[in-house]
Amino acid sequence: MGYAAYVYIGRFCVPMIRGDPDALGSRALAIVFLVIFSIFYLMMIWTYEKAIITPPGFAKDHVPRSVQPLFSQPPPVAPLDGIVGHQYEASIPTFPLPTDTSPSTRSGTGRTHRTNTRSSLTHATSPPMPPPLPRTHSQRSHHSAPATHSSQGVPDDIHAPPVSVSSPYESSENTNERMTPTTHEPRRRRRDSNEDGLPPLMYSRHPRTTPILLPEYRYCQRDQLVKPTRAHHCRACGTCVLKYDHHCPWIGQCVGARNEKFFMNFLEWAVICCSWLFSTLLGLNVKAHGDIDPQHIVIIALSGLFLLFCAAMLISHFRLILLNQTTVESLRSQYMKEREDRVLSRLHHWWEFRAKHRTKKQWDSEWGRIDYEGNIWSLGSLRANWEAVMGQKWYEWILPIGRSSGDGLSYPVNPRFDQQGRWRRRIEWPKELQGT
Ligand SMILES: [Zn+2]
Ligand SMILES: [Zn+2]
C-alpha cells in the first residue's frame, strides 16, 4: 500500500502538477486524481486498520471450560466426509444393516473405501470429530426400534458395497432420525435397477442429520469447552473463534463474529482503490508517447492482481452475508448440492435437463431450497441477513463504524429446523411458513 501511494503520488501525480515534460496529463487532471485517490486510499487504510485491530471474538473469553458432555443419543450415521451428513443421496431400504459396531471396527478405517473426491476439502474444513460413542446407551435397545428407513449412505460409487461402515459416528441404525423420509421415486432411468443384485434405490433429499445444536456435538477437545454455535477452532490462532469464517493471513487473524463487518468494509474499499489505481495508471500510460515509468507498470500489475483477488473475495462474501452463511457453512451446502447433482445424474440421462430441473423442484417443494429454507441461520430475508452483519444504516455498510447485531455467541435458529438443528420437511414447518 505504501509503495503504491509513493508511485501514484510521487511519480504520477506530482510530475503532472509540476508540469514536467514527461508528465502524463495536465495539472488540473492530476489534482482531481490526487484528491480522489486520497479519499479511496484513506478509506482503505481506515477499514484495513479496523479489520486488523478488531479481534473476531474468542469462545474461551465467554465460555467456561467444562468436561465433555456425554452423548444423549447415538450419533447419526457417519458423515462420510466430515462435512455433510451421510445418506444424503440414497438409501437402500432392504439392505442388511451392519451389526458390528465394536470400538475396534469403529476406529475410522471404514473411511478408506469412501474414496470420494471431497477428501481434500474435508481436511480443510471438517469440524473436530466427536469421540467414539460412549457405551452408556444400549445398542440393543435401538435394534428394537422401528427402523423407518435404513439409511446406509451409498458411497459415490454406487456399486461399492454400501455397508462396510465403521466410522466413529456410525451406529447400526438411525433411530434418532425422527423424520421419516417419504422418499419419492422419480422415474428411474438407469443404473438403479437390480443389475448388480442391489435393491432398487430410493432417491430423495437427505439433509444431514447431525444434531448440531446439541452441546456434545460442539465440544472442542483442544480448548476443552462447548463451543457456541457457529464457532470453530482455528489452528493458526490456536483457539475457538466465534462465527468462524476463515483465517485471513492478510489481516493476520481470523475473520469472525466481531470483525466480519470490517473485513467486508475493507474489501469494498480495497476493490475501489485498486480499480482506481489500475484504471488511471493504465489509461494515461496507454496514451503516453514517451518512455513509460517501469514503476507505473509494477503498480498496474500489483493493483490488477489485488483487484482480481479482492473482487472475488468481495463477491463471495457479499453472497455469504446475504445468505447468512460463513465460508465453512457454505462449503457444507455446496457439498450437499454436489451430491444432489450426482443423484440427479443417476436418475436422469445427462441431456434430460428439464427432468433434472423438475426433480430438483420437487425436492425443493418438499423441503425448501438448500441455501434459503435449508440454512439453519437464515433470518428469513436477504435484507435481514445483510443488516444483521453490516448494520441497519446504509453508511454502516461502507464505513467501518457500528457493529454486527448479536453477541456472536448465539444466533436465532431458522424455525424450519428442529430444536437440535436438523432441517425439517415443509409439512413439519410452522404453519405460517409452509406456504412460503
Ligand atoms: Zn477450540
Ligand atoms: Zn485464525
Side-chain angles (χ1 to χ4, degrees):
M1 286 185 195
Y3 179 55
Y6 158 71
V7 172
Y8 196 83
I9 297 170
R11 302 184 69 103
F12 182 64
C13 292
V14 168
M16 290 199 277
I17 291 170
R18 277 203 306 248
D20 288 1
D22 58 346
L24 297 175
S26 68
R27 172 175 295 178
L29 186 68
I31 291 170
V32 171
F33 276 15
L34 192 58
V35 169
I36 294 175
F37 171 75
S38 302
I39 294 169
F40 291 167
Y41 187 77
L42 290 174
M43 288 306 302
M44 182 172 72
I45 298 287
W46 183 20
T47 50
Y48 186 56
E49 170 262 331
K50 281 291 272 188
I52 284 180
I53 64 166
T54 312
F58 301 108
K60 63 174 186 225
D61 297 336
H62 303 275
V63 181
R65 284 187 170 205
S66 63
V67 294
Q68 181 164 7
L70 289 179
F71 283 85
S72 56
Q73 52 183 261
V77 176
L80 299 181
D81 36 63
I83 289 180
V84 81
H86 44 295
Q87 4 62 14
Y88 182 76
E89 48 186 346
S91 58
I92 305 175
T94 58
F95 212 86
L97 297 168
T99 51
D100 185 1
T101 54
S102 66
S104 60
T105 57
R106 289 196 279 120
S107 59
T109 52
R111 289 171 171 261
T112 52
H113 79 276
R114 317 272 201 195
T115 51
N116 66 42
T117 55
R118 311 303 304 176
S119 52
S120 57
L121 194 58
T122 304
H123 289 297
T125 60
S126 61
M129 292 279 292
L133 184 63
R135 308 297 289 171
T136 49
H137 72 273
S138 159
Q139 291 282 347
R140 186 167 298 169
S141 68
H142 298 293
H143 275 282
S144 58
T148 51
H149 73 300
S150 70
S151 40
Q152 302 313 318
V154 175
D156 293 345
D157 178 6
I158 200 166
H159 302 298
V163 284
S164 56
V165 288
S166 52
S167 106
Y169 278 111
E170 301 194 349
S171 64
S172 51
E173 55 282 296
N174 238 6
T175 52
N176 57 337
E177 283 179 40
R178 294 154 306 103
M179 294 176 290
T180 306
T182 54
T183 312
H184 80 272
E185 297 176 59
R187 293 162 298 124
R188 295 190 187 127
R189 297 305 293 258
R190 58 172 186 153
R191 280 203 280 154
D192 50 354
S193 64
N194 288 323
E195 61 191 48
D196 297 325
L198 290 174
L201 293 169
M202 312 280 270
Y203 293 109
S204 180
R205 176 166 286 175
H206 290 275
R208 88 200 247 257
T209 49
T210 311
I212 57 166
L213 296 182
L214 293 179
E216 58 262 40
Y217 288 87
R218 301 205 319 271
Y219 190 73
C220 175
Q221 300 279 356
R222 296 190 188 90
D223 289 2
Q224 297 181 337
L225 49 78
V226 175
K227 294 183 287 184
T229 51
R230 309 187 84 177
H232 289 289
H233 191 89
C234 173
R235 285 192 206 173
C237 298
T239 190
C240 280
V241 173
L242 301 181
K243 199 188 175 189
Y244 174 81
D245 190 277
H246 68 285
H247 186 89
C248 176
W250 298 96
I251 63 168
Q253 62 174 347
C254 272
V255 175
R258 308 272 162 82
N259 62 358
E260 180 184 19
K261 177 192 183 296
F262 304 137
F263 178 73
M264 187 69 182
N265 293 141
F266 166 63
L267 286 177
E268 291 163 356
W269 288 105
V271 164
I272 292 171
C273 196
C274 287
S275 305
W276 183 258
L277 275 172
F278 182 78
S279 56
T280 54
L281 276 172
L282 188 68
L284 291 199
N285 273 295
V286 164
K287 285 199 296 183
H289 300 294
D291 291 338
I292 292 177
D293 185 345
Q295 301 207 49
H296 288 187
I297 306 296
V298 172
I299 293 302
I300 290 170
L302 283 177
S303 61
L305 200 71
F306 276 90
L307 176 60
L308 282 179
F309 178 68
C310 290
M313 287 292 280
L314 180 68
I315 291 166
S316 81
H317 278 263
F318 185 68
R319 176 180 173 277
L320 288 175
I321 290 174
L322 286 178
L323 294 174
N324 205 342
Q325 283 180 342
T326 63
T327 302
V328 176
E329 290 153 5
S330 78
L331 289 171
R332 291 196 177 117
S333 79
Q334 182 62 32
Y335 186 48
M336 202 158 163
K337 288 180 218 163
E338 287 171 11
R339 297 191 80 173
E340 205 153 271
D341 284 342
R342 289 200 292 275
V343 175
L344 288 171
S345 70
R346 287 178 197 160
L347 282 172
H348 306 290
H349 293 290
W350 65 267
W351 62 83
E352 296 174 311
F353 300 109
R354 291 177 69 182
K356 285 184 187 177
H357 184 71
R358 266 202 308 276
T359 305
K360 223 172 196 167
K361 281 273 170 226
Q362 203 174 332
W363 291 341
D364 283 352
S365 69
E366 190 182 356
W367 285 92
R369 295 158 297 176
I370 290 175
D371 274 324
Y372 299 87
E373 292 82 6
N375 171 18
I376 187 169
W377 307 117
S378 176
L379 296 172
S381 77
L382 300 183
R383 173 106 190 189
N385 290 341
W386 176 264
E387 288 183 348
V389 173
M390 300 303 291
Q392 309 265 325
K393 305 279 190 309
W394 67 268
Y395 53 82
E396 290 179 295
W397 303 348
I398 52 170
L399 299 180
I401 53 175
R403 53 193 287 275
S404 305
S405 64
D407 54 4
L409 296 168
S410 61
Y411 291 88
V413 173
N414 183 343
R416 297 167 183 87
F417 283 66
D418 70 10
Q419 286 186 332
Q420 300 181 348
R422 285 175 292 216
W423 188 5
R424 298 183 290 182
R425 276 158 206 283
R426 191 179 291 267
I427 52 168
E428 298 172 274
W429 296 355
K431 279 280 174 288
E432 65 275 12
L433 294 173
Q434 289 186 8
T436 60

